[in-house]
Amino acid sequence: MSPSKKTLRFVTYNIHSCVGIDNKYDPSRVAAFIKDFDVAGLQEVEAFDHRRGYEDQFKTIQKLSGMSGVFAPNLVTFPRLFGNSLFSKHYISWSSNLPLAFPPGLLAEPRGLLQAQISYDDLGPIFVWVTHFGLSEEEEVYS
């Protein structure tokens, strides 16, 4: 008897605050897309921005996708939150957000590393990390 193969599908996706290349705001498109995967790490997730009617994109995507999730804001400008999130079809048993350091004097958007443990049937825990590295040359070199 051969062992059964189990496949997990992962995706990482910079959702640009749910604004598509057509410049339309639509969290339901993000939710529909990630439903095809077991685990989705998202960057640039936003909550409570006045430009979006103070919608919590994390909660909206979680509800529409039916997946469990965690949100790790790295930029907090009350009431707006902006950061990374993780969604999974499997139970997320633990998560933590670690701030990433920058060299002194570098003015950059705060970055973080979202770590999570996902319980997956008889395979045991799976560890997943989600981050969004900076785009400037200084941030890239330091990252």
Side-chain angles (χ1 to χ4, degrees):
M1 183 177 190
S2 65
S4 64
K5 287 186 177 182
K6 294 193 178 195
T7 302
L8 278 175
R9 294 190 53 185
F10 290 81
V11 66
T12 182
Y13 182 16
N14 183 332
I15 66 168
H16 299 285
S17 300
C18 295
V19 177
I21 60 172
D22 58 0
N23 209 31
K24 292 185 180 173
Y25 175 75
D26 190 355
S28 68
R29 288 194 295 196
V30 174
F33 176 76
I34 68 170
K35 285 168 103 171
D36 290 337
F37 298 89
D38 294 291
V39 179
L42 306 185
Q43 299 84 32
E44 296 191 17
V45 180
E46 191 172 63
F48 312 120
D49 189 303
H50 70 280
R51 297 171 297 179
R52 314 272 181 248
Y54 297 95
E55 181 176 17
D56 185 338
Q57 293 173 358
F58 169 75
K59 294 271 188 199
T60 299
I61 294 168
Q62 185 177 35
K63 179 180 177 183
L64 294 174
S65 70
M67 299 169 84
S68 61
V70 292
F71 180 44
N74 296 307
L75 179 62
V76 178
T77 53
F78 185 78
R80 182 179 180 247
L81 305 173
F82 187 77
N84 302 313
S85 64
L86 176 74
F87 293 92
S88 175
K89 291 181 179 176
H90 306 278
Y91 177 68
I92 301 171
S93 55
W94 171 85
S95 70
S96 175
N97 191 35
L98 297 174
L100 298 177
F102 292 105
L106 178 63
L107 296 175
E109 180 181 304
R111 306 286 178 175
L113 176 69
L114 170 57
Q115 320 173 85
Q117 178 178 317
I118 298 171
S119 300
Y120 184 68
D121 302 334
D122 57 340
L123 294 179
I126 296 170
F127 295 91
V128 179
W129 296 268
V130 181
T131 194
H132 183 316
F133 292 117
L135 302 175
S136 73
E137 185 177 336
E138 296 87 1
E139 287 180 282
E140 287 181 4
V141 169
Y142 197 75
S143 296

